[in-house]
Amino acid sequence: MVHFAAESHVDRSIKNPEVFVQTNVIGTAVMLNCAKAAWELPDGSFKEGKKFLHVSTDEVYGSLEEDGGYFYETTPYSPHSPYSASKAGSDMLVKAYMDTYKFPANITNCSNNYGPYQFPEKLIPLIINNALNGRKLPVYGDGKNVRDWLYVEDHAKAIDMVQEKGRLFETYNVGGHNEKQNIEIINIILETLREMLPDSDPRKANVSGDLITYVEDRKGHDRRYAIAPDKIRDEIGWVPETMFKDGIRLTIKWYFENEEWMKNVTSGDYQKYYQSMYKE
């Protein structure tokens, strides 16, 4: 069993923290109890072959200095947003079930994902959609916050491998070896869009660095995340396969081919959310 379900956007957690506690903490407790009830045998052991894989985030570890250091599985938790605090709480629940009941589980803590179907409140699809439509490209603070980017298919492979090969009761960090500043990500997207759009497409004229607009920084904005995925590499054999330059082209291609999906998810309530976040 793989437990993906989560409220995952920091901005939303700042506005509505109780929703994140309900989904990420209470929701995880419900899932743990359901799995425990289904798998536990009369003697307190668990059915052979059952495992609860809890998918979490690197944000539980807090923030790193700009000039070095990485998150390891042994890094103390230091969450700074309601989102990361709620995920830290859910991780601790899973750890408690493993310790108390010998509940068969693993935890994975991954870096920022990107790829198809990502909702456009997240940085990469937001920038793709806004650039194509000639809208401002909002950048928090100085744009130099660093994230480690992981293509979604690489993450899916890591989850599958941990589910199959991970040692019970262990945590595995999953990182992409793709550290980049937010402003770098935006400029790479703009450059790639200009390369991929045919000259005949009128949207090409929209794709300009002039759209970059610096906005007030996010409250409690962590400066840098970076994962050391040594353990998952050494124990399970997983390594990220997708270079960012390739992953971003695959992502943009998907959004080109699924414009109707993007139009549908950015209508209605999304517009109200966007205006409230970026004051447009």
Side-chain angles (χ1 to χ4, degrees):
M1 174 183 178
V2 182
H3 176 38
F4 289 101
E7 294 281 351
S8 65
H9 193 45
V10 174
D11 291 347
R12 288 185 186 269
S13 82
I14 293 169
K15 286 188 172 291
N16 296 293
E18 65 279 2
V19 173
F20 284 69
V21 173
Q22 185 66 40
T23 299
N24 297 348
V25 182
I26 304 302
T28 297
V30 169
M31 296 296 291
L32 286 165
N33 286 334
C34 287
K36 182 175 179 292
W39 300 344
E40 193 170 23
L41 298 172
D43 65 357
S45 64
F46 290 88
K47 293 177 181 177
E48 189 71 25
K50 299 299 183 182
K51 181 192 284 187
F52 186 100
L53 201 167
H54 177 64
V55 179
S56 190
T57 173
D58 58 355
E59 297 193 35
V60 299
Y61 297 122
S63 186
L64 291 165
E65 297 295 327
E66 293 183 59
D67 58 354
Y70 295 92
F71 295 139
Y72 293 88
E73 289 81 0
T74 54
T75 301
Y77 277 24
S78 182
H80 295 147
S81 71
Y83 161 58
S84 56
S86 69
K87 288 300 289 183
S90 68
D91 289 9
M92 291 301 173
L93 274 174
V94 178
K95 290 175 186 287
Y97 273 60
M98 290 191 288
D99 290 345
T100 303
Y101 307 110
K102 301 306 175 189
F103 181 74
N106 287 125
I107 297 170
T108 57
N109 295 92
C110 74
S111 58
N112 280 36
N113 279 212
Y114 69 101
Y117 286 106
Q118 191 170 36
F119 194 71
E121 64 188 1
K122 301 289 189 175
L123 177 65
I124 287 176
L126 173 69
I127 297 305
I128 293 170
N129 187 50
N130 280 20
L132 289 174
N133 289 284
R135 299 184 69 177
K136 292 178 181 178
L137 309 179
V139 184
Y140 281 133
D142 62 4
K144 294 182 179 180
N145 299 75
V146 174
R147 299 295 181 261
D148 176 12
W149 293 91
L150 176 66
Y151 189 59
V152 66
E153 288 189 8
D154 286 339
H155 188 199
K157 290 173 185 175
I159 289 167
D160 185 56
M161 292 174 74
V162 171
Q163 185 74 340
E164 292 297 319
K165 302 177 183 179
R167 287 186 294 129
L168 285 181
F169 317 124
E170 293 293 323
T171 293
Y172 295 93
N173 282 352
V174 186
H177 286 309
N178 275 309
E179 281 188 67
K180 291 190 179 356
Q181 295 178 345
N182 289 343
I183 192 65
E184 286 184 83
I185 295 292
I186 292 169
N187 284 319
I188 289 169
I189 291 171
L190 292 174
E191 180 182 344
T192 308
L193 281 171
R194 285 191 289 265
E195 289 175 3
M196 293 179 68
L197 283 167
D199 291 338
S200 58
D201 192 321
R203 295 175 301 176
K204 192 165 187 174
N206 296 335
V207 181
S208 166
D210 293 339
L211 296 173
I212 293 172
T213 305
Y214 290 89
V215 299
E216 182 181 351
D217 205 0
R218 169 194 287 163
K219 292 180 174 66
H221 200 178
D222 290 335
R223 192 62 173 174
R224 174 174 170 259
Y225 302 148
I227 276 182
D230 302 12
K231 181 176 177 180
I232 191 172
R233 179 197 64 210
D234 296 344
E235 289 193 11
I236 297 176
W238 178 87
V239 292
E241 299 173 8
T242 309
M243 298 296 292
F244 189 79
K245 64 182 177 63
D246 300 319
I248 200 65
R249 292 185 74 87
L250 289 169
T251 301
I252 290 171
K253 181 175 182 291
W254 187 90
Y255 282 106
F256 281 170
E257 294 170 351
N258 292 272
E259 291 184 41
E260 197 61 34
W261 179 88
M262 180 66 86
K263 288 177 184 176
N264 288 337
V265 300
T266 55
S267 61
D269 286 345
Y270 174 82
Q271 291 301 327
K272 297 176 187 175
Y273 159 77
Y274 181 87
Q275 289 162 10
S276 72
M277 288 308 306
Y278 302 113
K279 312 296 189 241
E280 284 196 11

